[in-house]
Amino acid sequence: MPAQLPHSDDAPHGSTDQVAAQLVRLVRLTARAKSRMTKVGPDSVERAAYAILFHLIDRGPQRTSQLAEMLHSDISTISRQSSTLVDHGLVERLADPGDRRASLLAATSEGRRVFETNRERLNHWLEWVLDEWSDEDRLAVNVLLRRLNDRIETCDPLAAPPRPEHEHSTDEV
C-alpha cells in the first residue's frame, strides 16, 4: 500500500509543509485574480508580456537577454512577447549606446500609461482585500514577503543542500 501524504492542514502551522501549501495557494489565487484583471488587456496584449513592461519601467531599458535572465524565460519567448509589445506601441527598440549593433527595449509613454492603469486597478483590488488589516499587519506581511522573496532569489532549488539522513522517507512496514 503506498504511503499516504499528510494533508497540509494537519501539519503544524509553522512547518515547511504548511508554508509550502500556503505559498501554492497564494500563487494560484494571485494568478487567478491577475488573469481575470488582465486576461487579454484592452490592447490585446497577453498578460505574460506585462512582466516585460513592468521590468522595463522598473529597471529602465534592457537587452532581451537581460530580460530573459530576470524573468527566468527563454530569449525566444521574450523576443516574441516584446515584439507584440512593440507592435502595440507599448515598447520601443533603441540602439544600445554601449554596442551599436545591439538594441535595448524601452517602455514608451503609452506603455507607461497602460502599465499605470493596470497598476491602479490591481492596487484598488488589493486595498479592498486588505481593508480589514491593521497597518501593523500590512507592514509585517510586507517585511516577511520581501524577506522570503529575497531568499528565494538567492537559493537555487537545484542547488539545495542534501537532506539529513533521518529526513529521507522510508517504506517501513
Side-chain angles (χ1 to χ4, degrees):
M1 181 170 170
Q4 189 172 1
L5 294 174
H7 190 272
S8 61
D9 288 341
D10 298 333
H13 287 294
S15 73
T16 303
D17 195 50
Q18 194 52 236
V19 171
Q22 291 304 317
L23 282 173
V24 167
R25 182 176 175 219
L26 174 65
V27 168
R28 189 183 70 236
L29 291 169
T30 303
R32 183 181 73 186
K34 186 176 176 184
S35 176
R36 291 178 63 129
M37 292 177 88
T38 60
K39 187 90 170 171
V40 172
D43 39 28
S44 303
V45 175
E46 62 182 286
R47 66 184 165 93
Y50 284 108
I52 293 171
L53 188 59
F54 169 79
H55 279 282
L56 294 175
I57 290 170
D58 187 51
R59 310 239 170 148
Q62 295 179 43
R63 288 184 177 188
T64 303
S65 58
Q66 290 172 300
L67 287 166
E69 185 177 325
M70 291 188 73
L71 296 171
H72 309 287
S73 191
D74 295 329
I75 289 178
S76 61
T77 301
I78 298 298
S79 292
R80 180 181 53 76
Q81 291 173 340
S82 61
S83 290
T84 301
L85 291 167
V86 168
D87 291 346
H88 284 85
L90 305 178
V91 168
E92 63 185 339
R93 295 184 200 285
L94 306 172
D96 185 339
D99 180 356
R100 297 305 242 177
R101 297 168 297 169
S103 65
L104 297 174
L105 295 170
T108 63
S109 58
E110 177 64 5
R112 290 179 187 283
R113 185 197 65 74
V114 167
F115 174 79
E116 191 58 34
T117 299
N118 284 323
R119 185 173 151 263
E120 287 173 5
R121 286 176 49 206
L122 175 63
N123 284 346
H124 179 74
W125 174 73
L126 278 175
E127 188 61 39
W128 180 46
V129 168
L130 298 172
D131 68 354
E132 296 176 358
W133 289 43
S134 69
D135 288 344
E136 293 80 19
D137 286 346
R138 288 175 183 223
L139 177 62
V141 77
N142 190 45
V143 167
L144 292 172
L145 283 172
R146 180 183 300 270
R147 185 173 159 199
L148 178 64
N149 286 331
D150 288 348
R151 190 72 174 138
I152 287 172
E153 282 181 336
T154 62
C155 293
D156 182 348
L158 299 179
R163 293 183 353 204
E165 270 308 305
H166 68 278
E167 288 187 18
H168 291 288
S169 63
T170 59
D171 292 329
E172 295 180 22
V173 180

